[in-house]
Structures are given as structure tokens and as C-alpha cells.
Amino acid sequence: MPEAVVVTLQFAFESLGLHRVEISIIPRNQASRRVVEKLGIRMEGVAERFLEIDGNWEDHARYGITSEEWVLRRGELLSAWLGWR
């Protein structure tokens, strides 16, 4: 999964020209949180009652990365997770 996130970030910043990508995860989803934490994506806080899912308002841990951060970390992330040199 970290590889898929890195490919998605590369597409978002380099092909789509986005300035910022946010990732929101239900706090109890430890597996998904481990993925973004492995990648070193910045945790920005918890959005309370962020989304209604199956009739329940769920909090979400919010992570973010900007295009400036991508430029600084691009080589590291591509090398570590996609084997690019």
C-alpha cells in the first residue's frame, strides 16, 4: 500500500499539478494510519464528526503533504518505495 500512495502522490503533484493532498483516516484504522506514518506524511490533527458513514458521523485523523514537501522528499520516497534511483 505505501507504494500505491507514493504513485498517487507523484501523479497528483507531477501530472495534475495539485498543491496539496490530504488523507483522512478513521482513527481506529491502524493499518491505514501505519501506511501514512511509514511514509512520513504530516499528521495535522483530528477532524471530529468529519464524514457520515453508514449513518454514523466518524472522526478522521487528517494527514497532509504539499507540493513543496513533495519536491523535497520526492527522491527519498521514490527510491525507498518504488526502487527508483
Side-chain angles (χ1 to χ4, degrees):
M1 200 63 204
E3 296 88 347
V5 174
V6 171
V7 168
T8 301
L9 291 174
Q10 183 181 30
F11 180 73
F13 292 123
E14 297 179 16
S15 295
L16 297 178
L18 297 182
H19 178 257
R20 176 181 173 81
V21 172
E22 293 183 10
I23 300 168
S24 298
I25 303 168
I26 294 174
R28 67 179 173 275
N29 186 341
Q30 290 300 317
S32 291
R33 291 186 74 178
R34 271 193 308 276
V35 170
V36 292
E37 289 164 2
K38 276 184 194 179
L39 295 173
I41 296 174
R42 179 174 23 82
M43 207 289 195
E44 297 184 324
V46 175
E48 295 183 15
R49 298 172 43 94
F50 182 65
L51 284 176
E52 185 178 12
I53 300 172
D54 292 329
N56 298 307
W57 287 97
E58 298 278 0
D59 295 349
H60 279 68
R62 310 257 328 248
Y63 297 83
I65 183 170
T66 64
S67 58
E68 293 88 355
E69 290 170 297
W70 172 255
V71 168
L72 292 174
R73 299 197 53 223
R74 178 186 192 280
E76 161 209 341
L77 290 168
L78 293 175
S79 175
W81 296 103
L82 301 180
W84 292 20
R85 303 261 175 224

